[in-house]
Amino acid sequence: MKIQNRIALIFTILTAAIIVSFSVFIFTFSRKNIENSFFHRLEVRSDIIAHASLDANKSRESIYYDFKEKHLEDLPNEEHFLIGAGEVLKANDLRSQLPLPSSFYNNIIRKEPARYMANDTSYVGLNIADNGKHVIIVSRAVDLYGLEELDNLKNLLMIGFLIAMIFVFTFGKLFSFQIFNPIRQIIRNVKGISAHNLHQRLVVDSAQDEIGDLSNTFNDMLNRLEITFDMQNNFVSNASHEFRTPLTVISGEAELGLSVPGISGEIKESFQMILRESEKLEHLTSSMLSLAQTGFDGTKEQWEKIRIDELILSVKSAIDHIHPENEVRIDFNGLPADESKLELNGNETLLKAAFTNIVLNSCKYSDNKAVVVRIGFEINNIVIEVTDRGIGIPDKEIGQIFVPFFRASNTIKYKGYGIGLPLANNIIKMHHGSISVRSTVGEGTRFVIFLPPYVH
Ligand code: ADP
């Protein structure tokens, strides 16, 4: 679960717990108040009836009914039980008729307030003495209005709780979304930074908060990374440059040696060997130089509008020049009807170097068997497929072929340095494209390159 949702949930659960506790408190407090005031009402009524029953001039029954009819409006299910002094039998009957806890009856005997509540019925008991007479009264009634009031309060609290939860969850989500906005912004920015635009930095908000700290920390890290990258790149570039001059001198000297008339066959062979190996080294150093330049900052190069079909044709003629015996065929069947879809924004020299490396590999690792270069347009991208029927790449090594200086185990009889593909990969990434490979040992290899078209 996303932290944003987790915060909204925790926020909602906490608020729910607070609202529930508060509602329980309000409900319990109100119920106690309503119960007490009803007990009090019942006691007042019992007291009046008991005193009226103690009047010496009238019989208990007639006083009770006269008084009740004249002054008291009946409470729901109201009943009174009067026991005069010495009416032991009646008292025993009452105990079995109203099975209330013995503490209730003990309180009456001790002349203390006796109150009890069971099944929504309130019971009160009084022990009253007047004019030398003595009477016990136990009354019961149901507080229907109080119960209704409590029911209303319960419903109100529940509806209030539900509405509050909807508000809290919605605002919780909005609130956490708001809080995480700057973090999402940072994630977007960081995702956009790669080896090719390492000079980019995160925008730091002027507010001196944790998000500002985080952006500053990221920027510091990027500064350190950029310096390290720069140092590594400069080292490779400088080293390659430094190698060039002595290598040119060596091959020049070898050529000079070869041009001396009358040298023996052995010496001639030795000069030829020096010339060949120094040419290889020259090729290696210039490849390393290109790798170093492309691996870091694409803005160094000049970009322009290029047509991919023309570029592939120029790759083919370069290969024809190097290996006239090649079997490279360009398949134009997949070309889009709209020619503008073949245009892309890029550096021609670098793209040509990348495709030449890939197609030359196909020729090399298939011993000049047929190689098909197909140009097409799919999913809003220019697609170039290079397919050969060569030696293939072993499954467990395929993931490493873009690592500089890596060469698969089945390439021993072929010359190479393991720089061509990493270089091609860097160039394609620099053009915001992608390269993937599928291969079966003994059957062949297919490279698929996607490049974004020119945005008109
Ligand atoms: P190399 O100079 O060795 O060709 P690359 O960087 O061009 O270096 O390629 C790296 C490795 O990828 C090669 O050594 C080879 O193992 C593998 N590879 C590249 N292209 C092909 C291909 N078309 N067929 C088989 N293996 C290939």
Side-chain angles (χ1 to χ4, degrees), residues 24-147:
V24 168
F25 174 75
I26 290 177
F27 186 78
T28 320
F29 186 76
S30 307
R31 195 176 60 188
K32 224 44 269 127
N33 261 353
I34 288 171
E35 270 175 25
N36 281 344
S37 76
F38 191 70
F39 276 137
H40 184 70
R41 260 174 87 193
L42 204 56
E43 277 168 354
V44 169
R45 297 162 75 90
S46 306
D47 191 67
I48 292 168
I49 291 164
H51 275 97
S53 75
L54 289 173
D55 194 315
N57 299 326
K58 291 186 183 176
S59 79
R60 284 205 302 253
E61 231 95 329
S62 63
I63 290 167
Y64 170 72
Y65 287 113
D66 284 357
F67 195 87
K68 196 168 174 322
E69 271 163 31
K70 279 183 196 154
H71 305 289
L72 296 176
E73 192 190 315
D74 263 0
L75 291 173
N77 298 353
E78 182 176 353
E79 265 185 282
H80 301 276
F81 304 91
L82 278 161
I83 302 162
E87 293 181 324
V88 184
L89 270 179
K90 216 173 172 184
N92 283 343
D93 276 356
L94 186 67
R95 272 188 194 251
S96 53
Q97 199 185 336
L98 298 178
L100 300 173
S102 49
S103 60
F104 180 86
Y105 292 109
N106 291 343
N107 278 0
I108 298 176
I109 293 161
R110 283 201 300 269
K111 296 193 177 175
E112 281 170 14
R115 291 175 170 183
Y116 186 68
M117 176 101 184
N119 302 328
D120 293 338
T121 306
S122 305
Y123 297 85
V124 294
L126 295 175
N127 186 346
I128 289 165
D130 197 15
N131 289 334
K133 288 182 181 173
H134 197 78
V135 71
I136 284 176
I137 181 165
V138 175
S139 309
R140 72 174 173 195
V142 176
D143 185 8
L144 279 185
Y145 306 111
L147 288 174

Side-chain angles (χ1 to χ4, degrees), residues 357-358 361-366 388 390-394 397 400-403 405-411 414-423 439 444-447:
N357 274 330
I358 295 167
N361 272 349
S362 288
C363 297
K364 176 165 73 175
Y365 295 113
S366 68
D388 66 56
I391 58 169
I393 305 164
E397 293 173 57
Q400 286 163 274
I401 58 167
F402 296 109
V403 176
F405 302 106
F406 177 83
R407 303 199 69 218
S409 53
N410 57 346
T411 57
Y414 302 91
K415 284 181 189 155
Y417 307 104
I419 291 183
L421 271 190
L423 178 62
S439 184
T445 306
R446 171 177 293 174
F447 284 90

Side-chain angles (χ1 to χ4, degrees), residues 82-311:
L82 278 161
I83 302 162
E87 293 181 324
V88 184
L89 270 179
K90 216 173 172 184
N92 283 343
D93 276 356
L94 186 67
R95 272 188 194 251
S96 53
Q97 199 185 336
L98 298 178
L100 300 173
S102 49
S103 60
F104 180 86
Y105 292 109
N106 291 343
N107 278 0
I108 298 176
I109 293 161
R110 283 201 300 269
K111 296 193 177 175
E112 281 170 14
R115 291 175 170 183
Y116 186 68
M117 176 101 184
N119 302 328
D120 293 338
T121 306
S122 305
Y123 297 85
V124 294
L126 295 175
N127 186 346
I128 289 165
D130 197 15
N131 289 334
K133 288 182 181 173
H134 197 78
V135 71
I136 284 176
I137 181 165
V138 175
S139 309
R140 72 174 173 195
V142 176
D143 185 8
L144 279 185
Y145 306 111
L147 288 174
E148 205 178 298
E149 228 171 276
L150 279 178
D151 232 31
N152 286 342
L153 181 67
K154 195 162 76 188
N155 289 341
L156 192 80
L157 289 173
M158 264 157 55
I159 293 169
F161 173 77
L162 286 179
I163 294 173
M165 280 306 93
I166 294 169
F167 270 102
V168 167
F169 188 70
T170 317
F171 284 116
K173 271 209 95 141
L174 282 177
F175 180 64
S176 54
F177 182 82
Q178 201 64 26
I179 284 188
F180 279 89
N181 236 354
I183 293 189
R184 267 192 299 278
Q185 182 75 32
I186 290 179
I187 293 172
R188 263 198 302 276
N189 288 349
V190 172
K191 269 187 183 166
I193 298 174
S194 69
H196 301 299
N197 56 357
L198 209 53
H199 52 275
Q200 262 189 35
R201 292 293 175 269
L202 303 181
V203 183
V204 183
D205 214 345
S206 52
Q208 289 295 307
D209 53 14
E210 288 81 352
I211 302 290
D213 275 356
L214 183 67
S215 304
N216 276 326
T217 313
F218 261 120
N219 284 344
D220 286 348
M221 189 185 72
L222 286 170
N223 283 342
R224 288 196 297 273
L225 268 179
E226 193 178 2
I227 291 169
T228 317
F229 241 73
D230 230 352
M231 275 168 58
Q232 186 194 341
N233 258 26
N234 284 341
F235 172 75
V236 178
S237 305
N238 292 341
S240 315
H241 263 300
E242 293 306 315
F243 279 137
R244 267 187 175 175
T245 325
L247 278 172
T248 320
V249 174
I250 291 170
S251 45
E253 291 297 316
E255 271 167 8
L256 191 71
L258 275 173
S259 65
V260 174
I263 51 166
S264 73
E266 223 168 278
I267 294 175
K268 199 173 176 185
E269 209 170 288
S270 163
F271 275 131
Q272 275 167 345
M273 175 89 87
I274 293 172
L275 195 59
R276 264 201 313 275
E277 292 304 313
S278 60
E279 270 169 5
K280 269 194 206 166
L281 266 179
E282 259 179 85
H283 174 69
L284 179 63
T285 47
S286 63
S287 300
M288 278 173 59
L289 188 61
S290 314
L291 188 63
Q293 279 171 349
T294 58
F296 183 47
D297 191 355
T299 54
K300 278 181 194 165
E301 312 297 333
Q302 272 214 331
W303 285 44
E304 59 197 325
K305 201 196 275 182
I306 303 164
R307 276 214 26 177
I308 195 71
D309 49 345
E310 288 168 9
L311 186 102

Side-chain angles (χ1 to χ4, degrees), residues 415-452:
K415 284 181 189 155
Y417 307 104
I419 291 183
L421 271 190
L423 178 62
N425 185 31
N426 274 355
I427 293 172
I428 284 154
K429 275 194 187 156
M430 202 188 209
H431 287 79
H432 308 291
S434 67
I435 178 166
S436 59
V437 57
R438 276 180 160 218
S439 184
T440 311
V441 173
E443 285 185 19
T445 306
R446 171 177 293 174
F447 284 90
V448 182
I449 298 105
F450 282 90
L451 284 168

